[in-house]
Amino acid sequence: MSTENYICHVCKINFLQNGMIFTGSKSNFRYRIKPDIPNKKFLVSIYTIYCYECAKDIVDNEFELSQNGYEQLREWLDNSYKEYLENHGVINTIRN
C-alpha cells in the first residue's frame, strides 16, 4: 500500500528506528508507537479521547521492528480506525 493511501499519519520508519516515540490522532481516535529497540519490536497502542497516560481503553499490539512490521502496523492502525468509526459513527470532539 502506498503511503498516500493510509488514513492515519505516521512518521517515517527512520524516526522510529532511532527510538523516538510517535503519537498521532484522528479526532478522538489516538495512537502511540514506541519502538522497543532491544527486543526489535514496535509497541503500538490505540485509545480514545484522553492522553495515553490517562486513557482507560488502551488496546496494545506489537510488530516486528522492520519495514514489513512498519507496513503491518500502519495497516492495523487504519483497520482499527475504520472499526472505531463503525462502532462510534460520527466522531465527537471534546470542547471546553
Side-chain angles (χ1 to χ4, degrees):
M1 182 181 275
S2 86
T3 303
E4 302 87 45
N5 294 330
Y6 287 109
I7 298 169
C8 297
H9 169 76
V10 175
C11 62
K12 296 193 181 288
I13 190 171
N14 300 17
F15 180 85
L16 296 167
Q17 288 174 325
N18 286 323
M20 308 300 284
I21 295 173
F22 179 82
T23 59
S25 66
K26 293 203 59 77
S27 291
N28 287 337
F29 178 83
R30 317 240 193 261
Y31 47 98
R32 178 179 189 260
I33 305 167
K34 179 181 179 186
D36 180 357
I37 304 295
N39 295 310
K40 298 181 177 153
K41 296 179 183 178
F42 290 115
L43 307 176
V44 186
S45 302
I46 57 174
Y47 49 99
T48 59
I49 304 176
Y50 303 109
C51 64
Y52 176 78
E53 292 77 14
C54 297
K56 305 230 186 291
D57 60 348
I58 298 172
V59 175
D60 295 314
N61 205 342
E62 296 179 354
F63 300 91
E64 177 183 305
L65 187 67
S66 66
Q67 183 65 42
N68 186 48
Y70 177 75
E71 296 298 327
Q72 289 174 349
L73 83 81
R74 296 201 68 185
E75 288 179 26
W76 181 74
L77 279 177
D78 280 5
N79 289 334
S80 297
Y81 178 67
K82 290 174 188 173
E83 184 179 318
Y84 175 82
L85 288 178
E86 289 172 8
N87 293 329
H88 294 89
V90 176
I91 300 173
N92 296 316
T93 56
I94 295 177
R95 298 196 175 147
N96 293 331

